Amino acid sequence: MTTINSAAVEAIARDIVGSAEFAAHAGAGTMAEAYAVQDAVVQKLVADSSRQPVAGYKLAANSKGAMQHFALTEPAVGRMFGDQVYASPAELPADSFRQFAFEPEIAAIMGSSLPASGAPYTKEAVAAAIDRFVPAFEVLDLRQSNMATIGIKEAVAQNITNAGIVIGGPGMAPAEFDPAAVRTVLTVDGKTELDVTGAAPQDPLDAVTWLANHLIGRGLSLEAGQSILCGTHCPLRPFPSKGTLEVTMSGLGTATLTLA
């Protein structure tokens, strides 16, 4: 059983709520220890009403290049909270972030739950449980973090800087979906900043299938209505100014976020 440093949990939760500058607290030597800290931080944030209950998950470092860079054998996972789920078009106050950043991603919206009793899950079973894939923005608050110095384990312990999701649409059912054909166009205040095709770091269905089985191994599970961010289509983008971001994904629709 992993021993949790309660002082570190308190400090991380306080820093997240206050958008404090990122500081290493967890001292996790393994990914299992990092996830144990993350679990305790999430439990505290929800228990003291700083955040609403978990409404989904994010996958990070799930491209082959990112896993190689961070010396990982599988993706990293963080939580998303109910009070940080926004429908497109969304408007967020710029001053609510210490260091705002975003990532355009495909998100899966779960139509039914995947409990431990059904594990291990196949791609077919997971596809049947997904209601639709949609375009989305991951919202992040980097809080002056430097991944090169803090390391992936400290990032995981602190929920990988997630600050929410903007869910676009209308979306597409898994049976109709071909990620290799998805063209992603990102604009900032109407100016095209990204135009790529087949840029998902892995097949989103593979991502959700892996996540479903990974969570069950940690005593968790995917629930109906939850959202899963399946990995960014471009490097993480800090955005220091106000403006409107829009991502359009062919077949999936559009997501819009204004930082006001």
Side-chain angles (χ1 to χ4, degrees), residues 115-259:
S117 59
Y121 284 99
T122 63
K123 286 177 63 174
E124 292 74 19
V126 172
I130 295 172
D131 178 70
R132 65 195 186 280
F133 287 109
V134 299
F137 282 112
E138 179 176 7
V139 178
L140 303 112
D141 190 348
L142 302 182
R143 297 167 32 222
Q144 276 71 53
S145 58
N146 184 340
M147 193 65 69
T149 57
I150 65 173
I152 190 64
K153 298 179 184 68
E154 185 69 41
V156 166
Q158 301 207 28
N159 206 37
I160 325 182
T161 67
N162 179 264
I165 179 176
V166 176
I167 298 174
M172 181 182 291
E176 304 167 350
F177 178 62
D178 177 9
V182 173
R183 179 184 178 189
T184 301
V185 179
L186 169 71
T187 64
V188 178
D189 290 330
K191 180 183 177 181
T192 299
E193 296 287 342
L194 178 75
D195 188 340
V196 291
T197 299
Q202 68 177 135
D203 185 326
L205 182 55
D206 288 336
V208 181
T209 302
W210 174 84
L211 177 64
N213 291 308
H214 166 84
L215 291 177
I216 286 166
R218 290 170 53 194
L220 304 165
S221 63
L222 290 176
E223 306 292 337
Q226 288 184 334
S227 306
I228 298 93
L229 284 163
C230 297
T232 185
H233 290 206
C234 67
L236 181 149
R237 292 188 174 223
F239 188 66
S241 60
K242 300 175 183 178
T244 296
L245 313 169
E246 183 173 276
V247 62
T248 300
M249 296 184 180
S250 54
L252 300 182
T254 300
T256 304
L257 167 61
T258 298
L259 202 65

Side-chain angles (χ1 to χ4, degrees), residues 43-175:
Q43 184 177 23
K44 174 173 176 51
L45 290 172
V46 174
D48 66 13
S49 299
S50 296
R51 293 285 185 268
Q52 292 179 10
V54 172
Y57 296 86
K58 62 165 283 183
L59 281 90
N62 60 328
S63 69
K64 290 182 180 179
M67 282 192 281
Q68 183 177 21
H69 176 76
F70 291 114
L72 296 173
T73 58
E74 59 187 18
V77 180
R79 264 66 160 226
M80 296 186 291
F81 298 98
D83 55 309
Q84 296 179 324
V85 176
Y86 310 101
S88 174
E91 182 174 302
L92 302 177
D95 60 5
S96 63
F97 302 92
R98 186 180 189 92
Q99 187 185 11
F100 174 83
F102 69 92
E103 293 178 336
E105 309 193 18
I106 292 170
I109 308 300
M110 300 304 299
S112 56
S113 301
L114 294 172
S117 59
Y121 284 99
T122 63
K123 286 177 63 174
E124 292 74 19
V126 172
I130 295 172
D131 178 70
R132 65 195 186 280
F133 287 109
V134 299
F137 282 112
E138 179 176 7
V139 178
L140 303 112
D141 190 348
L142 302 182
R143 297 167 32 222
Q144 276 71 53
S145 58
N146 184 340
M147 193 65 69
T149 57
I150 65 173
I152 190 64
K153 298 179 184 68
E154 185 69 41
V156 166
Q158 301 207 28
N159 206 37
I160 325 182
T161 67
N162 179 264
I165 179 176
V166 176
I167 298 174
M172 181 182 291

Side-chain angles (χ1 to χ4, degrees), residues 17-45:
V17 172
S19 294
E21 184 171 346
F22 196 104
H25 297 295
T30 66
M31 287 295 283
E33 291 171 348
Y35 281 124
V37 174
Q38 184 190 112
D39 293 345
V41 169
V42 168
Q43 184 177 23
K44 174 173 176 51
L45 290 172

